[in-house]
Amino acid sequence: VRIDADNALYRAQLAQCLQYASFYDYVLPVDVHDEANVLVREAVRLDSELSEAWAAYAAVRYYLDYDVVGSRLALERAIELNPSNARAMTHYSWLLGEDGDLAQFWKPIGVARGDVTVGRGPTFRRPDVLPLRRKHIPRPGRSKLTSAATPAL
């Protein structure tokens, strides 16, 4: 941050590092809470169109402030700005899964009613479908989801 004080990405990534250090018990949350909050607020202030800043903001809000609503709004903004932001998509799925609302995660990326369609974000394939050109057909012998990692829709 001292090298380039106006770089929003540096601030967002440093705040994310502090949040991860807290999450993995390298430091106490109380020791990084204030600094991480200042960094993410500054990152969003410096560049409100930076998806990574909003993803870091969401992580700090969720894991250090326990603000589920604020985190969800920030993640939705991050995904709106960059639908390919893997960190935002990952944190969004975790947040919705922990909140018991994982089915909502699949809607913005184009998965609906048991088939796979291409949405604004990356395409996710369910284990029971096989792509065939633009239409998808069920794989033989796998009419139901068998993977515990994939949510039933």
Side-chain angles (χ1 to χ4, degrees):
V1 174
R2 287 187 186 110
I3 295 171
D4 185 359
D6 292 333
N7 191 315
L9 184 58
Y10 288 166
R11 290 176 181 272
Q13 289 177 338
L14 183 55
Q16 190 84 53
C17 288
L18 293 172
Q19 180 267 311
Y20 280 136
S22 164
F23 183 80
Y24 290 109
D25 294 326
Y26 290 109
V27 297
L28 293 173
V30 70
D31 293 340
V32 296
H33 176 271
D34 292 340
E35 185 178 0
N37 269 294
V38 167
L39 286 166
V40 293
R41 286 189 180 113
E42 284 295 310
V44 169
R45 184 188 62 77
L46 288 169
D47 189 352
S48 63
E49 300 298 310
L50 181 64
S51 177
E52 290 80 3
W54 285 103
Y57 182 86
V60 169
R61 299 298 300 168
Y62 187 75
Y63 292 104
L64 295 177
D65 291 334
Y66 309 106
D67 178 7
V68 176
V69 174
S71 180
R72 185 172 180 163
L73 293 172
L75 285 168
E76 289 170 353
R77 177 68 175 143
I79 293 166
E80 177 185 326
L81 291 169
N82 180 5
S84 298
N85 184 332
R87 178 171 287 148
M89 296 292 280
T90 300
H91 281 277
Y92 193 53
S93 69
W94 290 343
L95 183 146
L96 293 175
E98 290 172 4
D99 202 27
D101 198 13
L102 192 57
Q104 289 290 42
F105 171 72
W106 295 101
K107 289 180 183 177
I109 59 175
V111 177
R113 291 188 309 273
D115 58 4
V116 178
T117 58
V118 178
R120 294 183 341 185
T123 300
F124 289 85
R125 291 201 176 118
R126 289 186 29 195
D128 64 332
V129 294
L130 177 68
L132 181 63
R133 295 189 186 158
R134 291 195 168 246
K135 294 183 180 181
H136 302 282
I137 58 172
R139 289 183 182 171
R142 296 184 83 181
S143 61
K144 295 192 179 218
L145 288 176
T146 57
S147 171
T150 306
L153 299 177

